[in-house]
Amino acid sequence: MKVEQISIFIENKSGRLAEVSRVLGDSGINIRALSLADTSDFGILRLIVDQTDKAKTFLKEHGFTVNKTEVVAVEVPDRPKGLCGILEILDAHKINVEYMYAYVERSNSNAIIIFRFDQVEAAIKVLTANDVVVLKGERIYTL
């Protein structure tokens, strides 16, 4: 139930984000979700794509520093306190959210949020035990 994500370290300057997008597009890779965090000189671009290993290979060939990590995609009720309910479950089990970002698609009446946890396996176990829908990577890559 984990989702593969690639993280790309890019200089915080004009054109670098476009270059990543161009490399992926020229390679026939589709971006499914993204998050960009920056500092003054560098940024971390986190992507979920439809072909993770191919994206990693092509980006490295074009000189980018790329890492692959595992994240978790969770259906979150799209209503007030929907996210809060899930965060309270995690808090009760002392599982920390390192970062998260929303997915562009909706699943049924729920939103999809991508989480990075400090304890991935424990988080999946706790969430599923509490009837929270954790999505498989194959589903996210094809939405």
Side-chain angles (χ1 to χ4, degrees):
M1 293 193 186
K2 298 175 206 165
V3 178
E4 292 181 337
Q5 169 193 269
I6 55 174
S7 298
I8 306 145
F9 299 93
I10 57 174
E11 293 175 86
N12 190 2
K13 68 178 190 181
S14 178
R16 290 297 280 168
L17 190 57
E19 189 175 348
V20 170
S21 178
R22 185 174 30 259
V23 167
L24 294 176
D26 289 348
S27 305
I29 295 167
N30 196 13
I31 298 171
R32 307 305 307 148
L34 68 86
S35 169
L36 178 62
D38 71 323
T39 62
S40 59
D41 297 326
F42 289 90
I44 299 174
L45 176 63
R46 295 181 173 106
L47 299 172
I48 295 176
V49 297
D50 61 348
Q51 302 172 72
T52 306
D53 291 331
K54 184 176 175 183
K56 187 177 172 187
T57 299
F58 280 110
L59 288 167
K60 282 188 171 187
E61 286 176 1
H62 285 80
F64 290 98
T65 301
V66 183
N67 289 322
K68 184 167 70 172
T69 57
E70 293 179 327
V71 291
V72 179
V74 176
E75 282 191 0
V76 177
D78 191 14
R79 58 174 166 70
K81 296 189 85 174
L83 176 61
C84 181
I86 290 173
L87 294 175
E88 287 177 344
I89 292 168
L90 296 165
D91 183 50
H93 291 84
K94 305 295 182 207
I95 296 171
N96 186 41
V97 176
E98 294 180 350
Y99 60 83
M100 57 188 247
Y101 53 96
Y103 193 76
V104 295
E105 295 277 347
R106 294 175 59 118
S107 176
N108 303 318
S109 61
N110 298 322
I112 299 173
I113 295 184
I114 308 297
F115 288 88
R116 171 72 177 176
F117 300 112
D118 62 344
Q119 305 169 62
V120 175
E121 296 296 337
I124 292 171
K125 184 176 179 181
V126 165
L127 291 170
T128 54
N130 284 278
D131 298 322
V132 175
V133 176
V134 177
L135 301 171
K136 293 182 177 180
E138 294 78 16
R139 182 163 176 216
I140 297 298
Y141 308 139
T142 59
L143 281 175

